[in-house]
Amino acid sequence: MLDTNIKTQLKAYFEKMVSPIVLTATLDASESSAQMLELLNEVAEQSDSITVSTEGQSKNVPSFTVGKPGEATRIAFSGLPMGHEMTSFILAILQSSGYPPKVEQDIIERIRGIEGKLHFQTFISLSCHNCPDVVQALNLMAAINPNIEHEMIDGALFQGLVDQYKIMAVPTVILNGEAFGQGRMTVEELVAKLDTNSPQKDAAKLNAKDNFDMLIVGGGPAGSAAAIYAARKGIRTGIVAERFGGQVMDTMGIENFISVQETQGPKLVQALEQHVKSYEVDIMNLQRANALRKTDDGIEIELVNGAVLKSKSVILSTGARWREMNVPGEQEYRNKGVAYCPHCDGPLFKGKRVAVIGGGNSGVEAAIDLAGIVSQVTLIEFDSKLRADAVLQTKLNSLPNVTIIKSALTKEVLGDGTKVSSLRYQDRTDHSEHTLELEGIFVQIGLLPNTDWLKGTIELSKHGEVIVDNKGETSMPGVFAAGDCTTVPYKQIIIAMGEGAKAALGAFDYLIRSSVVEPEKALAA
């Protein structure tokens, strides 16, 4: 099951183990159980500190736990942790053995301070690239705090549990039998959600920070590039971001990033974060900006938690978010059949009927991917023709279980109160209305800039994009912008990075010309 290269890598990883670990499996005579036992044995063969037991007594079969011999286990995997979840499995072994996790000491202390018995279950799909972040975060918390237990559950394998908890999107986290959260969550986000005093604590720490020379709002490709270029100038640089990586974290396949033939969004974000952290950049994650103000001595960014950060210059790189249909029923059935990530949630609709809204590249790619999983895909396009690349349209038209409906206006999402049951749309040619029976709707109709909080402060286009000049400067002196939130055309990762670098250089030039930077610093740069 594991090739030679992976086995070699595992041997090296397992040399870091602190204490012995036992993998205790609950199996039956099924093929999936046989595959699980094969995987566990192959993993155990790579270290004398790992043993395998088949005396598990879990209700979920096949499954296994990870823990020290003789101790109560707190980490479980219901399903085969392959694909994206293989790393989750290996980290669970290392951290359960006592190997220290790579997180801030403050976070470790906050995890240790969590009280009460907490039993987490995370429903995942093996094709979901956001799921491992949640699984690894909760496994880490379980390894640190004996009050916390965590179980990864492969939704495709345990359909009964999916139905029981009405899971329609992954990752979905259940805490002590009740819904806790959905979507990608870092360990910092999970701890903050459990710690009710977290916003006040964060605000106090942020308010105590010294003024920045350059503050970047947003941690995507544009923000990362801006931070690197700013830090290299030797000035005090900070990034405040709601989610480091931004929209790229939700991008599975990247094949047009020059010099990198193929990569994945989370992998690229990890590389970006490591690069930024190699410089003296103050990264303030999980923070949302709420207001921008020009003052006599600089610029202020007010955050949702009430904290205020001060800087001599600011770069806005807040990116964009998925555009919604804005029809009745969409919000009611969000994550109950209405989804926005076919890679993540597609496996939950195996054998079911779904619709994809949007005929651009994203919509057609989603329909192609889903056609290999679901029973029927109906692609609905508002225009009279598809806008996707010709090669994608050719592939789409070759699939037998795909229907294309053009000139269609989506009117309403219908359901039974718990999940989607149908979609109502209007034929724009004759104005007749139709109802499409289905179980899932994947919305792929473009992006909206994250600039609502800037309205009335700086000049925005009619589409809500930040208007910038050829140096990236906005209508407010000292405030620059870059990436998908701006009027710069072609929303691509590589373009956002270039614009981020340009904005940083423009902002640095502003600092010099406004005599904010000391003369000797300007000459040294």
Side-chain angles (χ1 to χ4, degrees):
M1 183 171 288
L2 302 178
D3 62 33
T4 303
N5 289 335
I6 292 178
K7 290 180 180 179
T8 301
Q9 292 174 7
L10 291 181
K11 286 181 184 293
Y13 291 145
F14 293 153
E15 288 178 358
K16 303 175 183 178
M17 292 178 62
V18 178
S19 303
I21 288 294
V22 58
L23 308 176
T24 304
T26 302
L27 309 170
D28 57 17
S30 66
E31 181 180 353
S32 55
S33 285
Q35 291 175 337
M36 178 173 287
L37 183 59
E38 180 183 359
L39 172 66
L40 298 184
N41 283 333
E42 287 192 14
V43 168
E45 288 170 2
Q46 312 314 311
S47 173
D48 293 336
S49 296
I50 303 175
T51 56
V52 176
S53 168
T54 57
E55 298 180 357
Q57 298 180 354
S58 172
K59 294 183 293 184
N60 296 334
V61 183
S63 65
F64 68 92
T65 60
V66 180
K68 295 178 182 179
E71 293 188 4
T73 55
R74 305 193 296 271
I75 297 175
F77 291 84
S78 292
L80 208 62
M82 298 299 288
H84 296 301
E85 294 297 348
M86 186 65 180
T87 301
S88 303
F89 177 25
I90 304 308
L91 285 174
I93 292 174
L94 291 174
Q95 291 166 357
S96 294
S97 79
Y99 182 75
K102 294 182 179 180
V103 295
E104 300 292 336
Q105 187 61 35
D106 175 63
I107 293 296
I108 293 176
E109 294 304 322
R110 289 170 68 179
I111 292 172
R112 286 175 177 160
I114 295 173
E115 299 178 349
K117 291 293 183 181
L118 305 178
H119 177 70
F120 289 97
Q121 296 169 293
T122 302
F123 286 83
I124 63 100
S125 68
L126 295 179
S127 60
C128 170
H129 55 283
N130 286 325
C131 293
D133 291 326
V134 180
V135 172
Q136 290 166 25
L138 287 168
N139 281 349
L140 181 152
M141 292 170 64
I144 292 174
N145 188 328
N147 291 321
I148 299 174
E149 298 176 347
H150 178 241
E151 177 185 16
M152 181 213 83
I153 301 175
D154 182 356
L157 195 59
F158 293 91
Q159 195 62 47
L161 289 175
V162 167
D163 294 338
Q164 176 185 335
Y165 289 112
K166 298 180 174 61
I167 306 296
M168 299 294 288
V170 291
T172 291
V173 178
I174 304 296
L175 171 58
N176 295 339
E178 301 292 333
F180 176 77
Q182 287 182 321
R184 180 180 179 270
M185 291 177 281
T186 63
V187 65
E188 292 85 359
E189 288 174 294
L190 289 162
V191 171
K193 193 167 184 177
L194 291 167
D195 184 356
T196 56
N197 294 320
S198 181
Q200 294 89 335
K201 293 177 184 176
D202 288 345
K205 289 181 181 179
L206 293 167
N207 280 327
K209 289 184 179 292
D210 294 332
N211 291 10
F212 292 93
D213 292 315
M214 197 177 298
L215 180 64
I216 295 103
V217 184
S224 297
I228 290 168
Y229 268 71
R232 286 174 61 85
K233 295 295 185 182
I235 61 178
R236 178 165 165 72
T237 305
I239 287 182
V240 58
E242 186 174 355
R243 180 178 69 154
F244 194 94
Q247 192 76 14
V248 178
M249 284 299 300
D250 301 324
T251 305
M252 189 56 182
I254 300 172
E255 299 177 358
N256 57 355
F257 189 71
I258 310 306
S259 83
V260 179
Q261 188 170 347
E262 183 180 356
T263 188
Q264 296 174 345
K267 186 176 180 180
L268 177 59
V269 169
Q270 184 180 34
L272 285 175
E273 189 170 11
Q274 289 174 347
H275 196 175
V276 172
K277 286 182 175 179
S278 69
Y279 296 96
E280 292 185 9
V281 177
D282 188 347
I283 299 177
M284 296 157 280
N285 205 11
L286 310 182
Q287 304 297 333
R288 179 184 292 184
N290 188 51
L292 168 71
R293 290 189 292 268
K294 183 77 172 177
T295 65
D296 292 338
D297 58 350
I299 303 158
E300 292 182 348
I301 296 291
E302 181 181 318
L303 306 181
V304 170
N305 62 13
V308 175
L309 299 171
K310 299 179 180 181
S311 183
K312 297 172 183 176
S313 65
V314 165
I315 295 177
L316 305 171
S317 58
T318 49
R321 62 190 183 276
W322 292 116
R323 185 186 297 273
E324 298 176 349
M325 297 182 292
N326 291 321
V327 299
E330 180 178 16
Q331 294 305 318
E332 180 183 355
Y333 292 104
R334 189 184 181 102
N335 295 324
K336 297 177 182 178
V338 176
Y340 300 84
C341 181
H343 296 293
C344 299
D345 301 331
L348 296 176
F349 295 85
K350 183 177 181 180
K352 297 179 179 180
R353 300 161 297 176
V354 304
V356 173
I357 312 298
N361 282 350
S362 296
V364 171
E365 287 175 350
I368 292 171
D369 290 344
L370 290 166
I373 301 171
V374 305
S375 63
Q376 178 67 36
V377 178
T378 302
L379 186 142
I380 296 177
E381 166 57 32
F382 178 83
D383 204 350
S384 60
K385 61 182 181 299
L386 301 185
R387 294 164 285 107
D389 294 343
V391 64
L392 294 174
Q393 293 191 46
T394 299
K395 175 62 177 178
L396 184 72
N397 289 320
S398 72
L399 300 174
N401 62 336
V402 173
T403 301
I404 301 172
I405 300 176
K406 303 172 187 176
S407 298
L409 173 63
T410 303
K411 300 287 286 185
E412 184 178 10
V413 175
L414 304 170
D416 62 4
T418 60
K419 62 181 183 298
V420 167
S421 62
S422 59
L423 175 72
R424 184 168 63 86
Y425 69 93
Q426 183 184 67
D427 187 323
R428 295 176 58 237
T429 60
D430 61 11
H431 304 293
S432 60
E433 294 200 353
H434 306 268
T435 300
L436 186 65
E437 303 293 330
L438 43 69
E439 288 81 25
I441 301 168
F442 289 84
V443 184
Q444 301 283 289
I445 54 175
L447 301 170
L448 282 174
N450 295 318
T451 58
D452 294 342
W453 63 288
L454 295 169
K455 290 178 179 178
T457 305
I458 58 175
E459 189 176 359
L460 304 177
S461 72
K462 64 180 181 180
H463 300 296
E465 298 168 318
V466 180
I467 297 174
V468 294
D469 65 13
N470 59 3
K471 289 186 177 181
E473 191 165 16
T474 71
S475 59
M476 181 181 290
V479 177
F480 293 71
D484 287 1
C485 69
T486 72
T487 50
V488 173
Y490 312 120
K491 312 305 185 187
Q492 300 290 313
I493 294 170
I494 198 164
I495 292 175
M497 285 185 176
E499 291 296 313
K502 183 173 73 175
L505 294 173
F508 185 68
D509 183 64
Y510 165 82
L511 292 175
I512 294 174
R513 292 179 183 277
S514 59
S515 301
V516 175
V517 177
E518 299 295 333
E520 57 269 21
K521 287 187 179 180
L523 291 173

